[in-house]
Amino acid sequence: MSSASFLQNHFSSSDCKSQKIPVEHLDYDYIDKCKDAKYLERILLLLRSGKEGIYPHLIEFCASRLEKLNPLSRALRKKNPVATSSNLPANEWSKIVDDLRIWQDESKATETSLKKQLMFEDVVDPKMPPIRGSNCSVPLSGKSARKQKCITPRDYREWDKFDVEKECQKIDGDVIQNDQSPIPNAHPTTKVDSSSLTAEVRHLLAEREKDKGNEAFRANDYEEAVAYYSRSIDMMPTVAAYNNRAQAEIKLKQWQRAMNDCNSVLEVEPCNVKALLRRAAVHNELGNFQMAVEDLTVVLSEEPQNVPAIELLSETTKKVTDVRQGKARKGRKIIIQEVEEEEDFEETKLEQIGDCPVEPSQTVGGDRCSAAPAERGDMGNAQKRPHGKGDGAPHESSHSHHGHWKSKGGNSDKYKVPQESKEKAANGTVKRGSTVPQADQAGSSSKESPPATNVGQAVNLDALCGALPLSLSRLKNEGNLLFKNGQFGDALEKYSQAIQGYSDAGIDSPDDLCILYSNRAACYLKDGNCQDCILDCTRALELQPFSLKPLLRRAMAYESLERYRKAYVDYKTVLQIDVSVQAAHDSVNRITRMLIEQDGADWREKLPDIPAVPLEAQQHRREEPPSAEVLQARAEKAAKDAERRTEIRFTDLKQDGNEFVKKGQYQDAVAKYSECLKIKPEECAIYTNRALCYLKLERFGEAKQDCDAALKLEPSNKKAFYRRALANKGLKDYLACSTDLQEVLQQDPNVQEAEKELEEVTVLLQQSLVTESPAKSRKVIPIAEVDGDQETSAVANSDSCFGEELCSKFQASNAYEFGQALNNACSSGNMAACADMLASTAPEQLPHFVSTQLNGQTISFIFKVLDSHLLEKDPNLVYKHLSHLHTADRFSVVLMLLEKDERRHVSQLFEHLSSAESTEFTKHDVQNLANKYI
């Protein structure tokens, strides 16, 4: 419901009924004099309702009057009609329709792929550890594992001898012993082997593990929650899982682990509110108040009404104030000098990069690790500092007013003096030329950090800087140190003294003077003095044109003063020098929108000229070579991306092949499946799919090769056996075809296609055997049991028994002979021959004999023969045959597949049988037997 409709319903249901508005108040003069905004809202809603008439000009006048009194009144809001195709341009509407169609197709494809997957219980890898473990087990029989002992009552004489104290001590001892015994496997393990699972299954399992972690967290079992979140991250890392685990680790006071998880989230989403808020809480607990304030500032810029962030910011600000007041009371001057035979890597690094406060993409001490939260330094590029990713890599935030940068690990605490050294300095024990060791931050030691981090080294304030003399170099180094410690006013004084000394000394070193002006401009920018920042940046650019840092700082100062055109020109110049400066990209996009709103469509014509940067000044800044950890992470990410792209391409090719098969374009499908096998040569389904296409193209040899390959991968693949049988049939290898079809029916007796193919192949095999046998004159040959090599000849000539002259006393020795004879009689419609066969066959052997020819046509033929030829002669034999016939293998399945006419013949047979007179069975017996057939 919109705001206007809500107000209208609200006022009409309450105020307007209880306090009616007089008609005299619906007047221009009264509305013009009325100063009660709430009452004017009721008047406006009454006019809009039309109950007192429709007065458009009066409604407009009342709305304008209300807007003057309360511009934010909800009554002024208007309902926007729902956009339809008539409200939008044709190209925009077609794009919306296409996007919806693409989304629908993707959703259907995803749903289809998920349906093909097995259920959760079926796909879980057997190597996956149990969620919970226990030493006790519940017996499946349902009986209690403990036997209830029958306790006999004590008589009074035993109660007199009962020692109460001794029994109490025993109970207490058992309780203590049980309490001290550890519970094995109290929490789930965190490592899961999910390498054999598909991406969809891993995503499903990861979501379930995360939900279990949420339940454990709500139950205040934080250790178990951490274990479940770790399992979820191990299967598929997600931002939500990292955020949730960080919250659980905060509850367990595992500050460093929570910091690492927050940094992992911020690598993917630099402005994730939850991660920033939780990292701020960790910084607050570790005493890094300035960093906590930075994180909370970004959170509030995203969500100004975030209550936890507001409360935590006030708490942190109060702590910062208390710390500053404590420092002001206890402040002492400490002399810091270099150690003998020790070179300060930090200052060397500063000299290499221009010896100025930390800048974008500039490292201090070479530290790229985020293990110690206090090891990130200030940038000096804006009044508000950004919030970086967890690995300490330089990046920018586009949500603050200015573009911001963060160093790759600059440590502003490296120059802080520990309390012990302060006491020594206060007592006069620290002399000039001595060093002060660095305090251990966040529990880290020099062993845990690489040597490049320079942890534990002192600052050499007397290190020479460029062509500056020792006195000016010391002033500059002191300014750098004060800037890093956040003392921008004191740093500004040092830089000003160095600039004045430079002028008095008459030194000719424009590069050094440019750096001094740029550093002092950074101090001005931090203190909010944008005018002086612009002046110093301009002087620095006069000394060293197209210097990146002065340009960037001047652009930020221009933007703070809302001089957007000049800021835009400076940002574009920065991008000409170094296109990788993300802060400049973000600021250009932001300023472009402002200029369009301010100057309209021709805003570019009102811009000053953008200077062209010479080629030698472009791309002059080189990034440091990445560390081994970064290279390994990049390699892992590239491998995952390549695997994901390969999986997507494989899926697309497989779907294309399936679509070609549906359309009957088998040659194109073969090409797609062949490309799939180049990507995944171990995929069994692709071999069977391509074998199907080869069968359709009558390329039986290649189809057989694909089926052989599939059976090597999956020896029990039913499709591969069936399609190899068809390939063997096409190659006229009927014996191999029959073997494969029998294997299919052994795995699944309900495959009708295999049964039909086996019938056809049996006939073809018999014909081939007849063709290969020596030509003999056709004559009536009685069938008898044969041994050894004579069996082939007997089988080859067995069909002659049911020719024009059938032997009246036919007796089959095995199921094959009976099946061949029955098949010949059925195909020729010779019911008399079939009746002689059934009359000479024992009812007990009939289910075994018909098992090879069990199909609807044969069973229907037997029913007809029993009804028309044997029922009148011997109803007892018919009853016995029917009593045993239904026990044959797969008989119930064949009976279900009978046609309507065939079922009618079965009903007629039992009707005739029930009316027959016999001493061996009754009508009731026939009815019971009929229930098994009908």
Side-chain angles (χ1 to χ4, degrees):
M1 181 182 290
S2 63
S3 301
S5 60
F6 171 80
L7 275 177
Q8 185 171 356
N9 295 337
H10 176 70
F11 288 130
S12 61
S13 61
S14 60
D15 295 351
C16 293
K17 290 182 179 180
S18 61
Q19 183 180 356
K20 294 185 178 180
I21 299 175
V23 180
E24 294 80 10
H25 293 177
L26 306 179
D27 183 70
Y28 286 96
D29 293 336
Y30 180 86
I31 293 174
D32 187 42
K33 296 177 182 178
C34 182
K35 296 182 180 180
D36 188 356
K38 294 292 183 180
Y39 192 71
L40 280 179
E41 288 178 351
R42 292 195 290 270
I43 294 176
L44 180 60
L45 292 174
L46 179 61
L47 291 172
R48 287 177 178 174
S49 65
K51 294 180 179 179
E52 301 295 338
I54 300 176
Y55 309 96
H57 297 288
L58 183 60
I59 294 174
E60 184 178 357
F61 179 79
C62 183
S64 62
R65 176 61 179 166
L66 178 59
E67 185 176 5
K68 293 179 181 179
L69 295 177
N70 186 11
L72 301 179
S73 175
R74 297 180 66 179
L76 296 174
R77 301 178 186 177
K78 298 180 180 179
K79 294 172 61 177
N80 293 327
V82 178
T84 61
S85 58
S86 60
N87 302 115
L88 300 174
N91 57 348
E92 187 175 354
W93 180 255
S94 62
K95 183 178 182 302
I96 294 173
V97 173
D98 293 339
D99 290 343
L100 289 174
R101 187 181 299 110
I102 292 172
W103 172 81
Q104 184 179 9
D105 295 339
E106 291 177 351
S107 300
K108 289 182 178 179
T110 304
E111 183 180 2
T112 304
S113 63
L114 288 176
K115 286 182 178 179
K116 293 180 180 179
Q117 299 292 337
L118 298 176
M119 295 301 294
F120 171 71
E121 290 77 12
D122 297 330
V123 298
V124 173
D125 196 273
K127 299 180 181 179
M128 180 178 290
I131 294 177
R132 288 184 181 272
S134 177
N135 286 338
C136 61
S137 61
V138 179
L140 299 177
S141 62
K143 298 181 181 179
S144 175
R146 297 182 179 179
K147 296 182 179 180
Q148 300 293 336
K149 294 183 179 180
C150 182
I151 302 175
T152 58
R154 301 175 184 266
D155 66 4
Y156 294 104
R157 287 176 295 180
E158 290 183 3
W159 282 113
D160 294 338
K161 299 176 183 179
F162 188 80
D163 190 351
V164 179
E165 297 296 334
K166 185 177 180 180
E167 293 297 329
C168 290
Q169 290 177 2
K170 287 182 180 180
I171 294 174
D172 294 340
D174 292 339
V175 172
I176 294 173
Q177 184 177 0
N178 292 334
D179 291 342
Q180 290 178 353
S181 60
I183 301 175
N185 199 12
H187 295 288
T189 56
T190 58
K191 294 297 181 182
V192 177
D193 183 13
S194 59
S195 58
S196 61
L197 304 179
T198 62
E200 292 84 359
V201 176
R202 285 201 306 270
H203 176 72
L204 177 63
L205 297 181
E207 287 296 320
R208 291 189 178 181
E209 293 300 312
K210 188 188 70 174
D211 294 339
K212 294 175 185 176
N214 295 341
E215 293 177 4
F217 187 90
R218 286 191 289 268
N220 297 331
D221 192 349
Y222 304 118
E223 293 181 359
E224 184 173 345
V226 169
Y228 281 125
Y229 292 140
S230 300
R231 287 163 64 96
S232 176
I233 293 170
D234 188 67
M235 282 183 281
M236 181 170 286
T238 58
V239 169
Y242 275 115
N243 265 333
N244 292 359
R245 189 170 71 173
Q247 184 64 21
E249 288 164 345
I250 289 174
K251 294 291 185 180
L252 295 172
K253 298 184 179 180
Q254 298 174 356
W255 310 117
Q256 193 55 52
R257 293 182 180 180
M259 173 73 69
N260 294 338
D261 284 344
C262 293
N263 290 336
S264 299
V265 175
L266 294 173
E267 289 179 9
V268 183
E269 297 180 9
C271 291
N272 187 282
V273 174
K274 289 186 177 179
L276 288 170
L277 185 58
R278 289 164 188 173
R279 190 172 70 174
V282 174
H283 282 314
N284 187 38
E285 292 293 338
L286 295 177
N288 305 322
F289 304 123
Q290 187 63 30
M291 295 180 181
V293 171
E294 295 172 8
D295 287 343
L296 293 172
T297 304
V298 175
V299 171
L300 292 175
S301 65
E302 291 288 324
E303 298 179 4
Q305 305 300 327
N306 194 315
V307 177
I310 295 172
E311 294 177 354
L312 186 58
L313 181 61
S314 62
E315 177 185 348
T316 306
T317 306
K318 183 179 179 181
K319 291 182 179 180
V320 171
T321 305
D322 296 339
V323 170
R324 288 179 178 175
Q325 291 177 355
K327 288 183 178 179
R329 291 193 298 267
K330 299 180 181 179
R332 294 189 181 94
K333 293 184 179 180
I334 300 175
I335 301 174
I336 304 175
Q337 295 184 355
E338 67 177 330
V339 181
E340 296 179 3
E341 301 179 358
E342 194 171 284
E343 181 180 0
D344 184 11
F345 179 80
E346 178 71 28
E347 291 302 320
T348 304
K349 196 69 179 175
L350 286 172
E351 290 181 7
Q352 293 175 358
I353 61 176
D355 200 12
C356 56
V358 183
E359 285 292 331
S361 69
Q362 175 180 334
T363 60
V364 178
D367 185 13
R368 301 177 63 89
C369 179
S370 62
E375 291 183 6
R376 294 180 300 176
D378 197 354
M379 294 298 98
N381 289 333
Q383 296 149 310
K384 297 180 181 178
R385 290 186 293 178
H387 301 264
K389 298 181 180 180
D391 59 357
H395 65 284
E396 295 75 30
S397 171
S398 60
H399 296 277
S400 57
H401 183 64
H402 305 295
H404 309 299
W405 289 357
K406 205 166 190 65
S407 74
K408 297 182 180 180
N411 185 1
S412 61
D413 295 330
K414 290 181 181 179
Y415 310 101
K416 293 183 180 179
V417 183
Q419 187 66 27
E420 179 182 357
S421 299
K422 289 182 179 180
E423 294 175 357
K424 290 181 180 180
N427 296 331
T429 57
V430 179
K431 298 181 180 179
R432 184 176 182 82
S434 63
T435 59
V436 178
Q438 180 199 3
D440 188 16
Q441 292 294 332
S444 61
S445 62
S446 59
K447 294 181 181 180
E448 299 174 356
S449 301
T453 57
N454 211 18
V455 175
Q457 295 185 8
V459 179
N460 184 8
L461 296 177
D462 293 331
L464 293 177
C465 302
L468 296 178
L470 179 60
S471 58
L472 299 182
S473 297
R474 184 174 181 82
L475 287 172
K476 180 181 176 183
N477 292 335
E478 290 176 352
N480 292 345
L481 177 59
L482 292 169
F483 187 91
K484 288 181 178 297
N485 291 333
Q487 303 174 8
F488 307 120
D490 297 337
L492 190 148
E493 294 180 3
K494 295 295 182 182
Y495 292 137
S496 299
Q497 294 175 14
I499 292 172
Q500 184 62 36
Y502 180 94
S503 302
D504 296 341
I507 305 170
D508 187 13
S509 179
D511 293 343
D512 292 326
L513 185 58
C514 172
I515 292 172
L516 290 173
Y517 276 123
S518 178
N519 290 3
R520 191 171 71 173
C523 297
Y524 282 134
L525 187 61
K526 282 290 185 180
D527 287 339
N529 189 350
C530 297
Q531 291 290 354
D532 290 338
C533 175
I534 293 171
L535 292 176
D536 276 359
C537 290
T538 303
R539 292 168 185 164
L541 291 171
E542 290 174 355
L543 295 168
Q544 190 175 0
F546 304 111
S547 180
L548 188 65
K549 297 174 185 178
L551 272 172
L552 187 60
R553 289 167 181 164
R554 189 173 70 176
M556 292 177 178
Y558 278 140
E559 187 179 0
S560 297
L561 296 175
E562 298 183 0
R563 297 162 69 176
Y564 297 123
R565 296 172 186 168
K566 293 185 177 181
Y568 181 87
V569 171
D570 282 348
Y571 280 130
K572 295 295 284 187
T573 308
V574 168
L575 292 177
Q576 291 185 62
I577 299 172
D578 189 354
V579 73
S580 64
V581 181
Q582 186 61 35
H585 284 288
D586 297 337
S587 300
V588 165
N589 295 334
R590 183 170 56 252
I591 293 174
T592 300
R593 293 193 294 269
M594 295 179 180
L595 290 175
I596 291 174
E597 295 176 358
Q598 177 180 325
D599 299 333
D602 56 345
W603 62 276
R604 294 182 183 275
E605 300 177 359
K606 301 179 182 181
L607 290 174
D609 294 335
I610 300 176
V613 178
L615 187 61
E616 59 272 11
Q618 298 178 12
Q619 300 290 341
H620 67 283
R621 297 178 60 188
R622 298 180 180 179
E623 295 183 357
E624 290 187 354
S627 62
E629 292 81 1
V630 174
L631 290 176
Q632 182 180 0
R634 290 178 182 175
E636 292 176 356
K637 185 177 183 300
K640 290 181 180 179
D641 292 342
E643 181 181 358
R644 181 176 56 82
R645 289 193 296 269
T646 302
E647 186 67 28
I648 292 174
R649 175 167 172 75
F650 175 81
T651 305
D652 292 341
L653 289 172
K654 183 178 178 181
Q655 291 178 353
D656 292 342
N658 296 342
E659 291 296 328
F660 282 132
V661 170
K662 293 177 182 178
K663 297 176 182 178
Q665 302 175 7
Y666 302 110
Q667 190 63 44
D668 296 333
V670 167
K672 296 296 182 181
Y673 290 141
S674 300
E675 293 184 21
C676 287
L677 291 175
K678 292 179 182 178
I679 299 174
K680 288 187 177 182
E682 303 296 327
E683 193 72 18
C684 179
I686 303 301
Y687 284 108
T688 56
N689 289 0
R690 192 171 69 172
L692 175 63
C693 298
Y694 283 143
L695 290 174
K696 296 293 184 180
L697 296 172
E698 297 184 356
R699 296 161 62 177
F700 302 113
E702 295 170 342
K704 183 178 180 181
Q705 292 178 0
D706 278 353
C707 292
D708 292 338
L711 290 172
K712 288 181 181 179
L713 297 173
E714 293 184 12
S716 61
N717 190 289
K718 185 169 58 177
K719 286 185 178 179
F721 275 116
Y722 180 74
R723 289 171 186 173
R724 189 173 70 174
L726 297 180
N728 287 325
K729 181 181 177 182
L731 295 173
K732 298 183 179 181
D733 188 355
Y734 301 124
L735 184 58
C737 176
S738 177
T739 304
D740 287 340
L741 290 173
Q742 290 176 7
E743 180 66 26
V744 173
L745 291 174
Q746 184 178 357
Q747 293 184 18
D748 188 357
N750 299 323
V751 182
Q752 298 181 6
E753 294 84 354
E755 291 182 355
K756 293 180 181 179
E757 290 292 338
L758 184 59
E759 293 175 4
E760 296 178 7
V761 169
T762 302
V763 176
L764 294 174
L765 178 61
Q766 178 184 355
Q767 292 176 357
S768 65
L769 292 175
V770 172
T771 304
E772 292 175 0
S773 64
K776 296 183 180 180
S777 60
R778 294 183 60 84
K779 59 182 180 179
V780 177
I781 301 176
I783 297 178
E785 189 172 346
V786 296
D787 297 325
D789 299 334
Q790 298 177 1
E791 183 178 357
T792 304
S793 176
V795 170
N797 297 291
S798 61
D799 59 339
S800 61
C801 296
F802 295 96
E804 297 177 358
E805 298 180 2
L806 179 69
C807 181
S808 60
K809 294 183 179 180
F810 170 79
Q811 289 184 353
S813 60
N814 52 53
Y816 179 75
E817 292 179 3
F818 186 90
Q820 294 298 314
L822 179 61
N823 185 42
N824 290 334
C826 182
S827 60
S828 62
N830 194 340
M831 301 179 70
C834 183
D836 291 339
M837 287 174 54
L838 295 174
S840 60
T841 302
E844 295 83 5
Q845 294 181 349
L846 183 61
H848 174 66
F849 284 170
V850 300
S851 60
T852 59
Q853 296 293 332
L854 198 60
N855 55 61
Q857 182 180 1
T858 304
I859 294 298
S860 177
F861 184 71
I862 290 175
F863 286 146
K864 292 179 181 179
V865 171
L866 292 174
D867 188 15
S868 61
H869 288 70
L870 290 180
L871 184 59
E872 293 182 0
K873 297 179 180 179
D874 192 354
N876 295 333
L877 181 62
V878 173
Y879 179 79
K880 291 179 181 179
H881 277 313
L882 292 176
S883 299
H884 290 86
L885 181 61
H886 67 85
T887 62
D889 294 338
R890 306 189 305 276
F891 183 83
S892 59
V893 178
V894 175
L895 196 63
M896 291 170 54
L897 300 177
L898 292 178
E899 300 292 338
K900 184 176 180 180
D901 293 340
E902 295 171 345
R903 291 180 181 275
R904 183 170 51 82
H905 290 308
V906 177
S907 301
Q908 290 178 359
L909 172 61
F910 280 98
E911 289 177 2
H912 297 161
L913 182 62
S914 62
S915 61
E917 296 181 359
S918 175
T919 59
E920 296 185 7
F921 62 87
T922 62
K923 292 183 179 180
H924 183 70
D925 296 335
V926 175
Q927 183 63 36
N928 292 336
L929 183 60
N931 293 333
K932 299 179 180 180
Y933 288 86
I934 301 175

